mmCIF file of all heavy atoms in Angstrom:
data_model
loop_
_atom_site.group_PDB
_atom_site.id
_atom_site.type_symbol
_atom_site.label_atom_id
_atom_site.label_comp_id
_atom_site.label_asym_id
_atom_site.label_seq_id
_atom_site.Cartn_x
_atom_site.Cartn_y
_atom_site.Cartn_z
ATOM 1 N N VAL W 159 -28.590 12.104 16.985
ATOM 2 C CA VAL W 159 -28.958 12.993 18.094
ATOM 3 C C VAL W 159 -28.377 14.378 17.797
ATOM 4 O O VAL W 159 -27.173 14.513 17.548
ATOM 5 C CB VAL W 159 -28.422 12.472 19.446
ATOM 6 C CG1 VAL W 159 -28.794 13.428 20.579
ATOM 7 C CG2 VAL W 159 -28.969 11.071 19.740
ATOM 8 N N GLY W 160 -29.222 15.394 17.835
ATOM 9 C CA GLY W 160 -28.761 16.746 17.502
ATOM 10 C C GLY W 160 -28.547 16.878 16.006
ATOM 11 O O GLY W 160 -29.028 16.069 15.212
ATOM 12 N N TRP W 162 -29.676 19.254 14.043
ATOM 13 C CA TRP W 162 -30.871 19.735 13.346
ATOM 14 C C TRP W 162 -30.683 21.135 12.767
ATOM 15 O O TRP W 162 -31.652 21.726 12.264
ATOM 16 C CB TRP W 162 -32.077 19.740 14.293
ATOM 17 C CG TRP W 162 -32.475 18.397 14.810
ATOM 18 C CD1 TRP W 162 -32.131 17.854 16.012
ATOM 19 C CD2 TRP W 162 -33.302 17.408 14.155
ATOM 20 N NE1 TRP W 162 -32.691 16.603 16.149
ATOM 21 C CE2 TRP W 162 -33.416 16.303 15.029
ATOM 22 C CE3 TRP W 162 -33.957 17.367 12.930
ATOM 23 C CZ2 TRP W 162 -34.143 15.170 14.715
ATOM 24 C CZ3 TRP W 162 -34.687 16.225 12.611
ATOM 25 C CH2 TRP W 162 -34.776 15.143 13.502
ATOM 26 N N GLU W 165 -30.314 27.053 14.011
ATOM 27 C CA GLU W 165 -31.371 27.891 14.588
ATOM 28 C C GLU W 165 -31.886 27.324 15.916
ATOM 29 O O GLU W 165 -32.042 28.077 16.874
ATOM 30 C CB GLU W 165 -32.563 28.049 13.630
ATOM 31 C CG GLU W 165 -32.287 28.894 12.401
ATOM 32 C CD GLU W 165 -31.876 28.033 11.214
ATOM 33 O OE1 GLU W 165 -31.527 26.844 11.430
ATOM 34 O OE2 GLU W 165 -31.917 28.537 10.078
ATOM 35 N N ILE W 166 -32.174 26.032 15.955
ATOM 36 C CA ILE W 166 -32.739 25.472 17.194
ATOM 37 C C ILE W 166 -32.002 24.212 17.625
ATOM 38 O O ILE W 166 -32.532 23.412 18.393
ATOM 39 C CB ILE W 166 -34.254 25.177 17.065
ATOM 40 C CG1 ILE W 166 -34.540 24.101 16.010
ATOM 41 C CG2 ILE W 166 -35.049 26.428 16.740
ATOM 42 C CD1 ILE W 166 -35.933 23.496 16.160
ATOM 43 N N SER W 167 -30.763 24.013 17.134
ATOM 44 C CA SER W 167 -30.026 22.807 17.526
ATOM 45 C C SER W 167 -28.523 23.126 17.491
ATOM 46 O O SER W 167 -28.119 24.262 17.657
ATOM 47 C CB SER W 167 -30.393 21.665 16.583
ATOM 48 O OG SER W 167 -29.739 20.474 16.920
ATOM 49 N N GLU W 169 -26.064 22.432 19.524
ATOM 50 C CA GLU W 169 -25.479 22.898 20.767
ATOM 51 C C GLU W 169 -23.976 22.582 20.805
ATOM 52 O O GLU W 169 -23.548 21.524 20.355
ATOM 53 C CB GLU W 169 -26.172 22.212 21.963
ATOM 54 C CG GLU W 169 -27.611 22.659 22.162
ATOM 55 C CD GLU W 169 -28.605 22.011 21.196
ATOM 56 O OE1 GLU W 169 -28.256 20.982 20.586
ATOM 57 O OE2 GLU W 169 -29.714 22.547 21.050
ATOM 58 N N ARG W 177 -22.150 32.793 18.383
ATOM 59 C CA ARG W 177 -23.376 33.581 18.534
ATOM 60 C C ARG W 177 -23.613 33.961 19.989
ATOM 61 O O ARG W 177 -23.937 35.109 20.301
ATOM 62 C CB ARG W 177 -24.572 32.801 17.987
ATOM 63 C CG ARG W 177 -25.859 33.604 17.989
ATOM 64 C CD ARG W 177 -26.992 32.838 17.340
ATOM 65 N NE ARG W 177 -27.082 31.497 17.882
ATOM 66 C CZ ARG W 177 -27.920 30.557 17.471
ATOM 67 N NH1 ARG W 177 -28.731 30.817 16.470
ATOM 68 N NH2 ARG W 177 -27.951 29.382 18.026
ATOM 69 N N ARG W 181 -23.892 37.612 21.807
ATOM 70 C CA ARG W 181 -25.024 37.973 22.668
ATOM 71 C C ARG W 181 -24.513 38.573 23.980
ATOM 72 O O ARG W 181 -24.961 39.636 24.417
ATOM 73 C CB ARG W 181 -25.878 36.736 22.955
ATOM 74 C CG ARG W 181 -27.077 36.990 23.863
ATOM 75 C CD ARG W 181 -27.787 35.684 24.246
ATOM 76 N NE ARG W 181 -28.444 35.051 23.119
ATOM 77 C CZ ARG W 181 -29.688 35.351 22.708
ATOM 78 N NH1 ARG W 181 -30.395 36.252 23.361
ATOM 79 N NH2 ARG W 181 -30.202 34.738 21.668
ATOM 80 N N VAL W 184 -23.146 42.107 23.693
ATOM 81 C CA VAL W 184 -24.190 43.127 23.719
ATOM 82 C C VAL W 184 -24.695 43.331 25.151
ATOM 83 O O VAL W 184 -24.934 44.462 25.579
ATOM 84 C CB VAL W 184 -25.331 42.730 22.755
ATOM 85 C CG1 VAL W 184 -26.562 43.569 22.996
ATOM 86 C CG2 VAL W 184 -24.859 42.887 21.310
ATOM 87 N N TRP W 185 -24.833 42.234 25.905
ATOM 88 C CA TRP W 185 -25.228 42.366 27.316
ATOM 89 C C TRP W 185 -24.225 43.254 28.066
ATOM 90 O O TRP W 185 -24.625 44.100 28.862
ATOM 91 C CB TRP W 185 -25.257 40.994 28.015
ATOM 92 C CG TRP W 185 -26.389 40.097 27.623
ATOM 93 C CD1 TRP W 185 -27.287 40.285 26.607
ATOM 94 C CD2 TRP W 185 -26.750 38.853 28.240
ATOM 95 N NE1 TRP W 185 -28.175 39.235 26.556
ATOM 96 C CE2 TRP W 185 -27.872 38.343 27.536
ATOM 97 C CE3 TRP W 185 -26.236 38.127 29.307
ATOM 98 C CZ2 TRP W 185 -28.474 37.136 27.885
ATOM 99 C CZ3 TRP W 185 -26.833 36.919 29.654
ATOM 100 C CH2 TRP W 185 -27.949 36.427 28.952
ATOM 101 N N ASP W 188 -24.622 46.852 27.148
ATOM 102 C CA ASP W 188 -25.806 47.391 27.834
ATOM 103 C C ASP W 188 -25.573 47.602 29.329
ATOM 104 O O ASP W 188 -26.393 48.238 29.985
ATOM 105 C CB ASP W 188 -26.987 46.408 27.703
ATOM 106 C CG ASP W 188 -27.702 46.474 26.352
ATOM 107 O OD1 ASP W 188 -27.490 47.450 25.603
ATOM 108 O OD2 ASP W 188 -28.483 45.544 26.065
ATOM 109 N N GLY W 189 -24.515 47.002 29.852
ATOM 110 C CA GLY W 189 -24.282 47.058 31.287
ATOM 111 C C GLY W 189 -25.035 45.991 32.053
ATOM 112 O O GLY W 189 -25.149 46.054 33.269
ATOM 113 N N ARG W 190 -25.566 44.977 31.339
ATOM 114 C CA ARG W 190 -26.320 43.931 32.029
ATOM 115 C C ARG W 190 -25.411 42.931 32.713
ATOM 116 O O ARG W 190 -25.802 42.262 33.665
ATOM 117 C CB ARG W 190 -27.225 43.197 31.027
ATOM 118 C CG ARG W 190 -28.403 44.013 30.597
ATOM 119 C CD ARG W 190 -29.347 43.196 29.745
ATOM 120 N NE ARG W 190 -29.099 43.380 28.327
ATOM 121 C CZ ARG W 190 -29.672 42.654 27.363
ATOM 122 N NH1 ARG W 190 -30.484 41.668 27.690
ATOM 123 N NH2 ARG W 190 -29.427 42.881 26.097
ATOM 124 N N PRO W 208 -21.805 48.733 18.657
ATOM 125 C CA PRO W 208 -22.779 47.634 18.625
ATOM 126 C C PRO W 208 -23.702 47.695 17.400
ATOM 127 O O PRO W 208 -24.209 46.671 16.962
ATOM 128 C CB PRO W 208 -23.563 47.794 19.923
ATOM 129 C CG PRO W 208 -23.314 49.188 20.372
ATOM 130 C CD PRO W 208 -21.966 49.575 19.854
ATOM 131 N N ILE W 212 -24.642 44.580 15.065
ATOM 132 C CA ILE W 212 -25.998 44.135 14.742
ATOM 133 C C ILE W 212 -26.217 44.089 13.222
ATOM 134 O O ILE W 212 -26.864 43.174 12.701
ATOM 135 C CB ILE W 212 -27.049 45.038 15.435
ATOM 136 C CG1 ILE W 212 -26.926 44.914 16.958
ATOM 137 C CG2 ILE W 212 -28.466 44.700 14.983
ATOM 138 C CD1 ILE W 212 -27.111 43.523 17.514
ATOM 139 N N VAL W 215 -24.679 40.895 12.196
ATOM 140 C CA VAL W 215 -25.512 39.760 12.616
ATOM 141 C C VAL W 215 -26.650 39.524 11.609
ATOM 142 O O VAL W 215 -26.989 38.381 11.306
ATOM 143 C CB VAL W 215 -26.089 40.015 14.036
ATOM 144 C CG1 VAL W 215 -27.300 39.139 14.321
ATOM 145 C CG2 VAL W 215 -25.009 39.782 15.084
ATOM 146 N N GLN W 254 -24.624 16.487 26.639
ATOM 147 C CA GLN W 254 -26.016 16.040 26.608
ATOM 148 C C GLN W 254 -26.258 15.144 25.373
ATOM 149 O O GLN W 254 -26.923 14.103 25.474
ATOM 150 C CB GLN W 254 -26.928 17.279 26.562
ATOM 151 C CG GLN W 254 -28.392 16.990 26.750
ATOM 152 C CD GLN W 254 -29.271 18.072 26.144
ATOM 153 O OE1 GLN W 254 -28.986 18.571 25.059
ATOM 154 N NE2 GLN W 254 -30.335 18.421 26.828
ATOM 155 N N ILE W 255 -25.703 15.563 24.242
ATOM 156 C CA ILE W 255 -25.839 14.767 23.015
ATOM 157 C C ILE W 255 -25.120 13.424 23.170
ATOM 158 O O ILE W 255 -25.676 12.359 22.878
ATOM 159 C CB ILE W 255 -25.263 15.550 21.805
ATOM 160 C CG1 ILE W 255 -26.080 16.818 21.554
ATOM 161 C CG2 ILE W 255 -25.224 14.668 20.549
ATOM 162 C CD1 ILE W 255 -25.451 17.787 20.553
ATOM 163 N N ARG W 258 -26.682 10.931 25.630
ATOM 164 C CA ARG W 258 -27.862 10.253 25.069
ATOM 165 C C ARG W 258 -27.430 9.038 24.237
ATOM 166 O O ARG W 258 -28.059 7.973 24.311
ATOM 167 C CB ARG W 258 -28.664 11.242 24.219
ATOM 168 C CG ARG W 258 -29.812 10.623 23.432
ATOM 169 C CD ARG W 258 -30.844 9.978 24.332
ATOM 170 N NE ARG W 258 -31.954 9.415 23.575
ATOM 171 C CZ ARG W 258 -32.743 8.441 24.001
ATOM 172 N NH1 ARG W 258 -32.563 7.921 25.210
ATOM 173 N NH2 ARG W 258 -33.723 7.993 23.260
ATOM 174 N N VAL D 158 -31.728 49.386 26.731
ATOM 175 C CA VAL D 158 -31.147 48.109 27.166
ATOM 176 C C VAL D 158 -31.886 46.988 26.431
ATOM 177 O O VAL D 158 -33.112 46.914 26.465
ATOM 178 C CB VAL D 158 -31.284 47.912 28.696
ATOM 179 C CG1 VAL D 158 -30.712 46.566 29.112
ATOM 180 C CG2 VAL D 158 -30.575 49.045 29.443
ATOM 181 N N GLY D 159 -31.132 46.141 25.763
ATOM 182 C CA GLY D 159 -31.748 45.069 24.983
ATOM 183 C C GLY D 159 -32.350 45.621 23.697
ATOM 184 O O GLY D 159 -32.033 46.743 23.267
ATOM 185 N N TRP D 161 -31.924 44.491 20.648
ATOM 186 C CA TRP D 161 -30.986 44.451 19.525
ATOM 187 C C TRP D 161 -31.415 43.467 18.443
ATOM 188 O O TRP D 161 -30.661 43.222 17.506
ATOM 189 C CB TRP D 161 -29.580 44.091 20.015
ATOM 190 C CG TRP D 161 -28.978 45.069 20.973
ATOM 191 C CD1 TRP D 161 -28.971 44.967 22.336
ATOM 192 C CD2 TRP D 161 -28.290 46.297 20.662
ATOM 193 N NE1 TRP D 161 -28.327 46.045 22.888
ATOM 194 C CE2 TRP D 161 -27.895 46.882 21.882
ATOM 195 C CE3 TRP D 161 -27.977 46.958 19.471
ATOM 196 C CZ2 TRP D 161 -27.196 48.097 21.949
ATOM 197 C CZ3 TRP D 161 -27.288 48.160 19.547
ATOM 198 C CH2 TRP D 161 -26.907 48.722 20.765
ATOM 199 N N GLU D 164 -31.825 37.650 16.830
ATOM 200 C CA GLU D 164 -30.714 36.709 16.666
ATOM 201 C C GLU D 164 -29.860 36.622 17.932
ATOM 202 O O GLU D 164 -29.509 35.528 18.359
ATOM 203 C CB GLU D 164 -29.816 37.097 15.479
ATOM 204 C CG GLU D 164 -30.459 36.927 14.129
ATOM 205 C CD GLU D 164 -31.097 38.208 13.629
ATOM 206 O OE1 GLU D 164 -31.281 39.143 14.450
ATOM 207 O OE2 GLU D 164 -31.414 38.284 12.427
ATOM 208 N N ILE D 165 -29.461 37.779 18.480
ATOM 209 C CA ILE D 165 -28.577 37.730 19.649
ATOM 210 C C ILE D 165 -29.103 38.598 20.793
ATOM 211 O O ILE D 165 -28.327 38.994 21.679
ATOM 212 C CB ILE D 165 -27.121 38.138 19.301
ATOM 213 C CG1 ILE D 165 -27.056 39.593 18.821
ATOM 214 C CG2 ILE D 165 -26.517 37.219 18.246
ATOM 215 C CD1 ILE D 165 -25.621 40.144 18.874
ATOM 216 N N SER D 166 -30.395 38.902 20.788
ATOM 217 C CA SER D 166 -30.924 39.741 21.869
ATOM 218 C C SER D 166 -32.393 39.391 22.082
ATOM 219 O O SER D 166 -32.804 38.272 21.828
ATOM 220 C CB SER D 166 -30.726 41.208 21.501
ATOM 221 O OG SER D 166 -31.180 42.063 22.523
ATOM 222 N N GLU D 168 -34.196 38.926 24.776
ATOM 223 C CA GLU D 168 -34.461 37.889 25.768
ATOM 224 C C GLU D 168 -35.876 38.052 26.334
ATOM 225 O O GLU D 168 -36.346 39.164 26.557
ATOM 226 C CB GLU D 168 -33.427 37.978 26.912
ATOM 227 C CG GLU D 168 -32.028 37.580 26.494
ATOM 228 C CD GLU D 168 -31.294 38.691 25.720
ATOM 229 O OE1 GLU D 168 -31.735 39.851 25.760
ATOM 230 O OE2 GLU D 168 -30.272 38.360 25.082
ATOM 231 N N ARG D 180 -36.674 24.271 20.275
ATOM 232 C CA ARG D 180 -35.375 23.627 20.549
ATOM 233 C C ARG D 180 -35.562 22.461 21.524
ATOM 234 O O ARG D 180 -35.068 21.352 21.296
ATOM 235 C CB ARG D 180 -34.402 24.654 21.128
ATOM 236 C CG ARG D 180 -33.033 24.091 21.512
ATOM 237 C CD ARG D 180 -32.154 25.118 22.229
ATOM 238 N NE ARG D 180 -31.763 26.242 21.400
ATOM 239 C CZ ARG D 180 -30.710 26.253 20.581
ATOM 240 N NH1 ARG D 180 -29.920 25.197 20.505
ATOM 241 N NH2 ARG D 180 -30.433 27.304 19.855
ATOM 242 N N VAL D 183 -37.182 19.383 20.015
ATOM 243 C CA VAL D 183 -36.233 18.539 19.297
ATOM 244 C C VAL D 183 -35.391 17.732 20.286
ATOM 245 O O VAL D 183 -35.117 16.546 20.066
ATOM 246 C CB VAL D 183 -35.370 19.410 18.357
ATOM 247 C CG1 VAL D 183 -34.171 18.644 17.854
ATOM 248 C CG2 VAL D 183 -36.209 19.903 17.177
ATOM 249 N N TRP D 184 -34.995 18.370 21.381
ATOM 250 C CA TRP D 184 -34.253 17.635 22.413
ATOM 251 C C TRP D 184 -35.070 16.436 22.897
ATOM 252 O O TRP D 184 -34.542 15.341 23.081
ATOM 253 C CB TRP D 184 -33.965 18.534 23.631
ATOM 254 C CG TRP D 184 -32.912 19.575 23.414
ATOM 255 C CD1 TRP D 184 -32.335 19.928 22.233
ATOM 256 C CD2 TRP D 184 -32.325 20.415 24.418
ATOM 257 N NE1 TRP D 184 -31.436 20.946 22.445
ATOM 258 C CE2 TRP D 184 -31.399 21.261 23.765
ATOM 259 C CE3 TRP D 184 -32.494 20.548 25.804
ATOM 260 C CZ2 TRP D 184 -30.640 22.214 24.448
ATOM 261 C CZ3 TRP D 184 -31.751 21.495 26.479
ATOM 262 C CH2 TRP D 184 -30.827 22.317 25.814
ATOM 263 N N ASP D 187 -35.173 13.708 20.377
ATOM 264 C CA ASP D 187 -33.891 12.984 20.399
ATOM 265 C C ASP D 187 -33.746 12.092 21.636
ATOM 266 O O ASP D 187 -32.831 11.270 21.692
ATOM 267 C CB ASP D 187 -32.726 13.987 20.430
ATOM 268 C CG ASP D 187 -32.402 14.587 19.066
ATOM 269 O OD1 ASP D 187 -32.869 14.054 18.044
ATOM 270 O OD2 ASP D 187 -31.651 15.589 19.043
ATOM 271 N N GLY D 188 -34.591 12.313 22.629
ATOM 272 C CA GLY D 188 -34.452 11.595 23.896
ATOM 273 C C GLY D 188 -33.444 12.234 24.830
ATOM 274 O O GLY D 188 -33.013 11.615 25.803
ATOM 275 N N ARG D 189 -33.064 13.494 24.537
ATOM 276 C CA ARG D 189 -32.084 14.142 25.402
ATOM 277 C C ARG D 189 -32.707 14.654 26.684
ATOM 278 O O ARG D 189 -32.021 14.828 27.694
ATOM 279 C CB ARG D 189 -31.422 15.318 24.663
ATOM 280 C CG ARG D 189 -30.475 14.857 23.598
ATOM 281 C CD ARG D 189 -29.739 16.037 23.015
ATOM 282 N NE ARG D 189 -30.351 16.522 21.793
ATOM 283 C CZ ARG D 189 -30.009 17.654 21.176
ATOM 284 N NH1 ARG D 189 -29.088 18.435 21.719
ATOM 285 N NH2 ARG D 189 -30.579 18.016 20.053
ATOM 286 N N ILE D 190 -33.996 14.970 26.637
ATOM 287 C CA ILE D 190 -34.752 15.348 27.842
ATOM 288 C C ILE D 190 -36.088 14.606 27.774
ATOM 289 O O ILE D 190 -36.482 14.136 26.713
ATOM 290 C CB ILE D 190 -35.017 16.872 27.937
ATOM 291 C CG1 ILE D 190 -35.763 17.367 26.695
ATOM 292 C CG2 ILE D 190 -33.713 17.649 28.123
ATOM 293 C CD1 ILE D 190 -36.285 18.800 26.814
ATOM 294 N N PRO D 207 -40.195 15.752 13.006
ATOM 295 C CA PRO D 207 -39.200 16.807 13.242
ATOM 296 C C PRO D 207 -38.621 17.371 11.942
ATOM 297 O O PRO D 207 -38.196 18.526 11.915
ATOM 298 C CB PRO D 207 -38.123 16.111 14.083
ATOM 299 C CG PRO D 207 -38.329 14.661 13.869
ATOM 300 C CD PRO D 207 -39.782 14.468 13.584
ATOM 301 N N ILE D 211 -38.137 21.280 11.157
ATOM 302 C CA ILE D 211 -36.877 21.907 10.730
ATOM 303 C C ILE D 211 -37.063 22.661 9.408
ATOM 304 O O ILE D 211 -36.511 23.751 9.224
ATOM 305 C CB ILE D 211 -35.757 20.856 10.634
ATOM 306 C CG1 ILE D 211 -35.470 20.252 12.026
ATOM 307 C CG2 ILE D 211 -34.480 21.451 10.037
ATOM 308 C CD1 ILE D 211 -35.051 21.252 13.088
ATOM 309 N N VAL D 214 -38.599 25.866 10.399
ATOM 310 C CA VAL D 214 -37.613 26.725 11.060
ATOM 311 C C VAL D 214 -36.758 27.471 10.028
ATOM 312 O O VAL D 214 -36.427 28.643 10.208
ATOM 313 C CB VAL D 214 -36.715 25.889 12.006
ATOM 314 C CG1 VAL D 214 -35.410 26.601 12.334
ATOM 315 C CG2 VAL D 214 -37.472 25.553 13.288
ATOM 316 N N GLN D 253 -33.356 40.806 33.932
ATOM 317 C CA GLN D 253 -31.997 41.319 33.756
ATOM 318 C C GLN D 253 -32.027 42.683 33.060
ATOM 319 O O GLN D 253 -31.306 43.614 33.446
ATOM 320 C CB GLN D 253 -31.198 40.301 32.923
ATOM 321 C CG GLN D 253 -29.726 40.582 32.838
ATOM 322 C CD GLN D 253 -29.110 39.941 31.600
ATOM 323 O OE1 GLN D 253 -29.697 39.966 30.517
ATOM 324 N NE2 GLN D 253 -27.930 39.382 31.749
ATOM 325 N N ILE D 254 -32.886 42.809 32.057
ATOM 326 C CA ILE D 254 -33.018 44.085 31.333
ATOM 327 C C ILE D 254 -33.591 45.157 32.264
ATOM 328 O O ILE D 254 -33.053 46.268 32.373
ATOM 329 C CB ILE D 254 -33.936 43.907 30.100
ATOM 330 C CG1 ILE D 254 -33.303 42.946 29.090
ATOM 331 C CG2 ILE D 254 -34.239 45.258 29.450
ATOM 332 C CD1 ILE D 254 -34.229 42.512 27.952
ATOM 333 N N ARG D 257 -31.268 46.328 35.107
ATOM 334 C CA ARG D 257 -30.246 47.265 34.642
ATOM 335 C C ARG D 257 -30.795 48.696 34.604
ATOM 336 O O ARG D 257 -30.120 49.644 35.007
ATOM 337 C CB ARG D 257 -29.747 46.842 33.259
ATOM 338 C CG ARG D 257 -28.807 47.814 32.581
ATOM 339 C CD ARG D 257 -27.544 48.059 33.391
ATOM 340 N NE ARG D 257 -26.629 48.959 32.704
ATOM 341 C CZ ARG D 257 -25.688 49.680 33.317
ATOM 342 N NH1 ARG D 257 -25.531 49.600 34.629
ATOM 343 N NH2 ARG D 257 -24.900 50.460 32.619
#
Side-chain angles (χ1 to χ4, degrees):
Chain W
V159 179
W162 297 97
E165 290 94 344
I166 64 162
S167 181
E169 291 78 17
R177 185 175 49 184
R181 179 187 292 274
V184 166
W185 288 9
D188 281 345
R190 287 187 265 171
I212 296 301
V215 161
Q254 189 204 41
I255 296 169
R258 172 61 179 156
Chain D
V158 178
W161 298 97
E164 291 94 345
I165 63 163
S166 182
E168 291 79 16
R180 177 186 294 275
V183 166
W184 287 10
D187 281 345
R189 288 186 263 171
I190 57 170
I211 296 301
V214 160
Q253 189 204 41
I254 296 170
R257 173 60 178 157

